[in-house]
Amino acid sequence: RIVIWVVAQLHLLFAAFVLGAPIFIVVCEYLGVRTRDQRYERLAKETMKIVAISYSLTALFGAAMTFVLVGRYQELSNFLFRRFYPVFGLYATLLLVESAIMYVYWYTWDTLSQRKKVHIGIGIALNVVGTIVMFLMNGVGSFMLTPPPSPESASVWQLVNNATWSGLNLHRFIANISFGGFMVALFAAFMYLTSRGEEDRAFYDWMGYIGNFIGAAALIALPVAGYIYTKEIFAYNATISTLLMADKLAWFFVIQGILVGLLFMGATYY
């Protein structure tokens, strides 16, 4: 359980970045075109470079999670793959499509420098496909928490569109944007400390400000999505919610509350 928790958490963190950062990147590229401020263009391109590297690590930890899940939880794995076979099939197909679009977006950055509308369109397509991929796996994850009555006889849509699917989709979408913004700020802070030229240091200082601003702005909206998600869990089964928030696992939520407060303080101080 600890091993699968670690590999799943690492996969989720990298996945959050490679899904949230491209939204940030496309918006910055668009702002660069509209304002003619080359800093936005550079910010978008440097962040995309990190996404391209992180994408491979995301796939690596995803494969490790699948290996551990299938190896140690065969009965659960067989059930999930049998009942969600169309979902996993579509997921695998869209994952290949997303990978292709991501590399096209990255490697045509200079080639399409004079055709920005086309390049931004590729970036939008990347975000749409990536969001759908996330929604598909959210269907499997939310099912494991709030399965519909009679899972064996339920349709695939009923399995996916379970009691907490919409809440998890909303929460993860906003969380990915926030996480992506803060990761950009982290990268910018590191580059600021290691750069020697004053021009580069000024740019990375500004980049850190923009990343932190996006991260904090999304973080403000995140608790609302969390309350919506929690309400869906309570509506499904109050016993589960009580176990999570007022019983054996309550200390997780106490720590989470402290960490959220530290996030707001850290973002403000930064």
Side-chain angles (χ1 to χ4, degrees), residues 207-228:
M207 182 179 179
Y209 166 77
I210 297 296
N212 187 64
F213 177 82
I214 297 297
L219 187 65
I220 291 172
L222 193 57
V224 178
Y227 283 126
I228 294 172

Side-chain angles (χ1 to χ4, degrees), residues 4 63 68 73 105 112 127 143 156 194 213 226 248 263:
I4 198 168
V68 176
Y73 298 92
Y105 183 63
L112 296 176
N127 282 295
F143 163 80
V156 175
T194 55
F213 177 82
K248 291 183 178 180
L263 273 175

Side-chain angles (χ1 to χ4, degrees), residues 27-220:
V27 171
C28 286
E29 187 179 11
Y30 172 76
L31 289 174
V33 174
R34 285 296 301 270
T35 64
R36 300 185 184 278
D37 188 341
Q38 287 301 310
R39 292 183 301 176
Y40 285 108
E41 176 75 10
R42 181 180 174 184
L43 188 159
K45 188 175 182 180
E46 292 206 14
T47 306
M48 193 61 209
K49 184 192 301 183
I50 310 170
V51 171
I53 297 171
S54 301
Y55 200 85
S56 301
L57 294 172
T58 306
L60 180 65
F61 285 114
M65 186 183 73
T66 304
F67 180 79
V68 176
L69 183 68
V70 173
R72 299 302 300 170
Y73 298 92
Q74 293 182 8
E75 186 177 350
L76 171 64
S77 302
N78 290 337
F79 175 82
L80 290 176
F81 282 112
R82 177 166 52 84
R83 296 297 291 122
F84 286 91
Y85 184 78
V87 175
F88 283 108
L90 182 59
Y91 170 78
T93 303
L94 290 180
L95 202 60
L96 293 174
V97 173
E98 182 188 11
S99 302
I101 296 175
M102 191 275 293
Y103 285 113
V104 169
Y105 183 63
W106 168 237
Y107 285 110
T108 60
W109 200 292
D110 295 327
T111 307
L112 296 176
S113 59
Q114 301 302 317
R115 302 179 65 185
K116 274 299 181 183
K117 289 184 179 180
V118 176
H119 194 254
I120 291 173
I122 297 172
I124 293 172
L126 172 63
N127 282 295
V128 170
V129 175
T131 301
I132 295 173
V133 166
M134 181 187 71
F135 284 176
L136 289 173
M137 284 300 98
N138 284 350
V140 180
S142 58
F143 163 80
M144 295 169 71
L145 178 65
T146 55
S150 305
E152 286 287 358
S153 59
S155 66
V156 175
W157 174 243
Q158 289 173 329
L159 295 176
V160 172
N161 189 31
N162 57 76
T164 55
W165 185 46
S166 59
L168 182 59
N169 285 337
L170 177 64
H171 191 271
R172 280 200 65 193
F173 182 77
I174 297 174
N176 288 350
I177 296 174
S178 179
F179 185 72
F182 284 134
M183 287 299 293
V184 169
L186 172 64
F187 170 75
F190 174 78
M191 293 302 294
Y192 175 86
L193 293 173
T194 55
S195 298
R196 295 184 178 180
E198 286 301 319
E199 184 178 344
D200 286 338
R201 287 167 66 87
F203 168 75
Y204 287 119
D205 181 59
W206 173 83
M207 182 179 179
Y209 166 77
I210 297 296
N212 187 64
F213 177 82
I214 297 297
L219 187 65
I220 291 172

Side-chain angles (χ1 to χ4, degrees), residues 233-248:
I233 300 174
F234 266 99
Y236 176 81
N237 189 323
T239 304
I240 295 176
S241 304
T242 303
L243 175 69
L244 292 175
M245 300 177 189
D247 200 348
K248 291 183 178 180

